[in-house]
Amino acid sequence: MLSFLDAFSGYHQIPMSPVDEEKTAFITPHSLYCYKVMPFGLKNVGATYQRLMTKIFKPLIGHTVEVYIDDIVVKRKTREEHVLHLQEVFHLLRKYGMKLNPSKCAFGVSAGKFLGFMVSQRGIEVSPDQVKAVMETPSPMSKKELQRLTVDPQFCPFSTCL
């Protein structure tokens, strides 16, 4: 059994250190404001958020939970174990004041999408959407078209291009 969880407004759930708030100051016609929570766009926001999620789920990562930034997968073989581990995950989320986006969560499923891949009891597979993009890409008809695929990301339909 798998449950796919998505943290709600990920970065905005991390409180700023009071001494660092003034470093996020911005001016409006009405006043000067500072962020009290971590704003999106700061240089180390991704790494800071991942470090927090790793700290929260450290005893579970690799066993019953996998975490990448704001995406969480809870995995167990039986329904009973799965429910117990979901309770543990919810307890940890509550303890650290983290919230989930219920519209992006799926509970007790046998397969689902995680980081663009299909995850199931068979393992990790390529998403059908990505395969479709490859299959629908016309073959290059000249040397110049082939060079465009390897050099110009505008002509490459894949997210992994330059």
Side-chain angles (χ1 to χ4, degrees):
M1 295 202 73
L2 300 165
S3 288
F4 297 89
L5 313 174
D6 188 81
F8 185 74
S9 298
Y11 304 142
H12 301 296
Q13 295 188 51
I14 303 174
M16 289 288 295
S17 167
V19 297
D20 291 331
E21 285 180 13
E22 68 182 42
K23 297 172 186 160
T24 65
F26 60 96
I27 300 171
T28 70
H30 305 290
S31 189
L32 173 75
Y33 293 95
C34 298
Y35 280 94
K36 293 195 175 287
V37 293
M38 190 167 295
F40 186 78
L42 293 180
K43 189 170 187 170
N44 290 326
V45 139
T48 301
Y49 190 82
Q50 181 64 51
R51 199 167 43 252
L52 172 67
M53 296 302 276
T54 302
K55 177 184 175 184
I56 291 172
F57 295 108
K58 186 174 184 170
L60 305 176
I61 292 176
H63 304 288
T64 59
V65 172
E66 301 301 335
V67 178
Y68 182 75
I69 314 271
D70 62 347
D71 294 315
I72 305 163
V73 176
V74 181
K75 54 188 181 174
R76 281 325 290 159
K77 291 188 182 201
T78 68
R79 182 177 300 274
E80 293 77 21
E81 286 181 325
H82 192 71
V83 169
L84 290 173
H85 288 288
L86 272 176
Q87 287 174 338
E88 190 173 2
V89 167
F90 290 148
H91 171 75
L92 289 170
L93 290 169
R94 222 175 278 118
K95 178 180 174 182
Y96 286 89
M98 302 296 286
K99 294 172 181 54
L100 297 176
N101 184 351
S103 66
K104 291 186 175 181
C105 294
F107 298 97
V109 296
S110 58
K113 215 177 217 185
F114 184 66
L115 305 177
F117 293 91
M118 289 304 296
V119 179
S120 70
Q121 61 195 22
R122 294 186 311 250
I124 300 170
E125 300 171 350
V126 178
S127 171
D129 300 337
Q130 293 175 341
V131 172
K132 183 180 175 190
V134 171
M135 298 306 286
E136 290 178 354
T137 302
S139 298
M141 301 308 270
S142 68
K143 181 178 177 183
K144 194 71 169 169
E145 286 179 10
L146 180 62
Q147 289 171 335
R148 281 187 194 153
L149 282 175
T150 61
V151 175
D152 193 344
Q154 172 184 340
F155 295 101
C156 185
F158 314 113
S159 62
T160 57
C161 291
L162 299 172

